[in-house]
Amino acid sequence: MAKDETSKRRITLERTYKASLQDVWDMWTTKEGIESWWGPDGFSVKVRKLDLRPGGELHYAMTATAGPQIEFMKKAGMPLTTEAQVTYTEVLPPRRVAYTHLADFIPGAEPYRVAHLVELTPMGDSVRMVLTFDAMHDEEWTNRAKMGWEMEFAKLAKALAKP
């Protein structure tokens, strides 16, 4: 479903983490950081390529590793491992990173790009994180994306809390 870029609905999610700005930035922009929290519960992520600059790309593999997620992927007709491609559109360390994610894994949907913007604001000993992203091609997949990010943000909190 092709949509005009100006008419896309955007979703905004906010969290505040008790962490340093650099630590939160590193979670979004390093191989170790990304692998520590990306992917919903029951999935693991392995970074294959990371070129953090406008026009650079992040390639990663996300694999279902837990029983319920493996069953869901099989029933949905989706592979257990999906290769993902992100293209960075803006990188302003350590406060802002924007990228498009190629949604090419959805059965029955033509591939399309989903824009994401991450903004980090220091607040004393905490960091306010705002993620804004395009709605998906339909409400079901938009809700899945929101639920996925909610799970991932809980994983991010745990990863930031580790010594």
Side-chain angles (χ1 to χ4, degrees):
M1 169 188 228
K3 288 185 179 180
D4 181 291
E5 286 297 316
T6 60
S7 68
K8 281 192 178 175
R9 182 169 63 101
R10 292 185 170 67
I11 311 300
T12 299
L13 303 173
E14 293 184 35
R15 293 289 181 282
T16 300
Y17 296 103
K18 189 168 180 137
S20 73
L21 180 61
Q22 190 62 51
D23 285 349
V24 179
W25 177 257
D26 288 349
M27 289 294 191
W28 279 98
T29 61
T30 66
K31 178 184 188 301
E32 298 77 18
I34 292 166
E35 289 179 350
S36 74
W37 70 276
W38 272 36
D41 290 337
F43 289 84
S44 67
V45 167
K46 293 293 176 205
V47 173
R48 306 229 194 272
K49 175 184 177 182
L50 176 59
D51 182 7
L52 185 68
R53 63 178 175 81
E57 294 183 343
L58 163 66
H59 293 205
Y60 66 90
M62 186 170 68
T63 303
T65 56
Q69 289 75 7
I70 291 169
E71 185 178 332
F72 171 83
M73 297 297 279
K74 286 180 177 177
K75 282 185 179 176
M78 298 170 70
L80 298 184
T81 298
T82 56
E83 298 286 334
Q85 178 192 346
V86 165
T87 302
Y88 292 104
T89 55
E90 184 179 11
V91 179
L92 298 171
R95 302 264 183 128
R96 186 177 167 104
V97 63
Y99 60 89
T100 61
H101 182 270
L102 182 61
D104 62 352
F105 52 88
I106 303 166
E110 288 294 317
Y112 59 96
R113 293 203 166 270
V114 181
H116 293 73
L117 171 63
V118 180
E119 297 172 292
L120 305 175
T121 306
M123 299 173 53
D125 65 350
S126 298
V127 175
R128 179 175 170 252
M129 180 184 76
V130 178
L131 170 67
T132 305
F133 61 96
D134 291 342
M136 304 291 281
H137 65 286
D138 68 21
E139 229 20 66
E140 177 185 355
W141 280 91
T142 297
N143 287 332
R144 285 182 182 179
K146 286 192 282 192
M147 288 180 356
W149 278 118
E150 297 288 344
M151 280 188 250
E152 288 176 276
F153 290 167
K155 288 172 67 176
L156 176 56
K158 289 177 188 170
L160 286 166
K162 289 183 180 175

